[in-house]
Amino acid sequence: QKEVEQNSGPLSVPEGAIASLNCTYSDRGSQSFFWYRQYSGKSPELIMFIYSNGDKEDGRFTAQLNKASQYVSLLIRDSQPSDSATYLCAVNIGGTGNQFYFGTGTSLTVIP
Amino acid sequence: IAGITQAPTSQILAAGRRMTLRCTQDMRHNAMYWYRQDLGLGLRLIHYSNTAGTTGKGEVPDGYSVSRANTDDFPLTLASAVPSQTSVYFCASSDSWGGDTGELFFGEGSRLTVL
């Protein structure tokens, strides 16, 4: 079992809709959580990070963390065609040092 | 601003050959990482280094070795390449200590094909 699990999708939403991406992790000691966006053929780039339970909002993006359920999500409001990409959930499991583990990614397509 | 530079960007390699993927960062980040990305499997951590002189094993370390002689460089070596090591390899760095901070900055990737 992977440390970080994501639904690989693909997920399709119409332009202007809310896209919801989900992620679960197995290590209860994990302390920091990240969402990266990766366009085809490109490197991943950070969208959001969250450390505390609850919601964190940044523009059209909201990250949600529930440590008790070991669950992280990303909401994208007013989805745009430019949001079409693969979204990667990452968890820093810490321990003896920093080890960032990624999920398999969710492919999102926003339909104009 | 270079950030992280990986070389080569692409390489075709015969099975059994030795190969070193180079990674250099100019951000003075203490931590560096190597990932491989395969379709359907996402990014998998191969090796990491939290500071110069130290390295650690990630999820899929077998067949790979790393060294961290200084802050800036973190080469990944395949001692005897096998076709299952065909992948896109990403080097990354972060400026973080402990377990709860740190954005990862990625290089552009190295596409390796082992025949």
Side-chain angles (χ1 to χ4, degrees):
Chain A
Q1 182 185 359
K2 281 180 66 71
E3 294 276 350
V4 182
E5 299 278 356
Q6 288 182 257
N7 185 333
S8 61
L11 175 66
S12 294
V13 299
E15 183 174 356
I18 295 174
S20 178
L21 306 164
N22 304 313
C23 173
T24 58
Y25 61 94
S26 60
D27 189 332
R28 285 197 170 273
S30 301
Q31 298 189 30
S32 52
F33 309 87
F34 305 82
W35 283 99
Y36 286 80
R37 177 176 62 200
Q38 186 177 27
Y39 293 112
S40 180
K42 300 296 185 181
S43 308
E45 55 182 347
L46 183 69
I47 300 175
M48 295 278 293
F49 63 89
I50 186 167
Y51 304 145
S52 302
N53 278 327
D55 295 359
K56 180 181 179 182
E57 187 174 317
D58 184 1
R60 297 187 295 112
F61 299 94
T62 299
Q64 300 174 317
L65 174 62
N66 184 326
K67 289 187 177 181
S69 300
Q70 296 174 247
Y71 177 89
V72 191
S73 67
L74 179 70
L75 299 178
I76 306 174
R77 291 182 301 281
D78 187 24
S79 295
Q80 301 297 308
S82 59
D83 294 327
S84 298
T86 296
Y87 289 81
L88 302 164
C89 174
V91 175
N92 187 346
I93 67 171
T96 58
N98 291 304
Q99 297 182 55
F100 293 86
Y101 283 79
F102 285 78
T104 55
T106 299
S107 176
L108 171 67
T109 300
V110 180
I111 304 167
Chain B
I1 298 177
I4 295 183
T5 301
Q6 290 185 233
T9 56
S10 182
Q11 181 77 44
I12 298 173
L13 186 67
R17 297 298 295 269
R18 180 184 180 89
M19 177 72 192
T20 296
L21 303 180
R22 300 184 298 279
C23 176
T24 300
Q25 55 113 349
D26 62 3
M27 297 175 283
R28 306 301 292 172
H29 286 171
N30 57 289
M32 297 186 74
Y33 313 83
W34 274 105
Y35 291 88
R36 59 176 292 175
Q37 187 169 36
D38 304 288
L39 191 63
L41 296 176
L43 282 163
R44 291 183 291 170
L45 181 63
I46 304 171
H47 285 286
Y48 65 95
S49 169
N50 284 303
T51 189
T54 68
T55 63
K57 295 181 179 180
E59 299 172 271
V60 288
D62 294 343
Y64 305 95
S65 63
V66 292
S67 61
R68 187 87 184 278
N70 57 60
T71 297
D72 298 342
D73 300 301
F74 191 44
L76 177 73
T77 297
L78 291 66
S80 180
V82 296
S84 62
Q85 293 177 309
T86 294
S87 188
V88 178
Y89 291 86
F90 285 101
C91 180
S93 70
S94 69
D95 184 14
S96 59
W97 290 96
D100 59 354
T101 58
E103 172 185 356
L104 284 174
F105 293 83
F106 286 87
E108 293 300 307
S110 295
R111 182 175 295 275
L112 182 65
T113 302
V114 183
L115 301 176

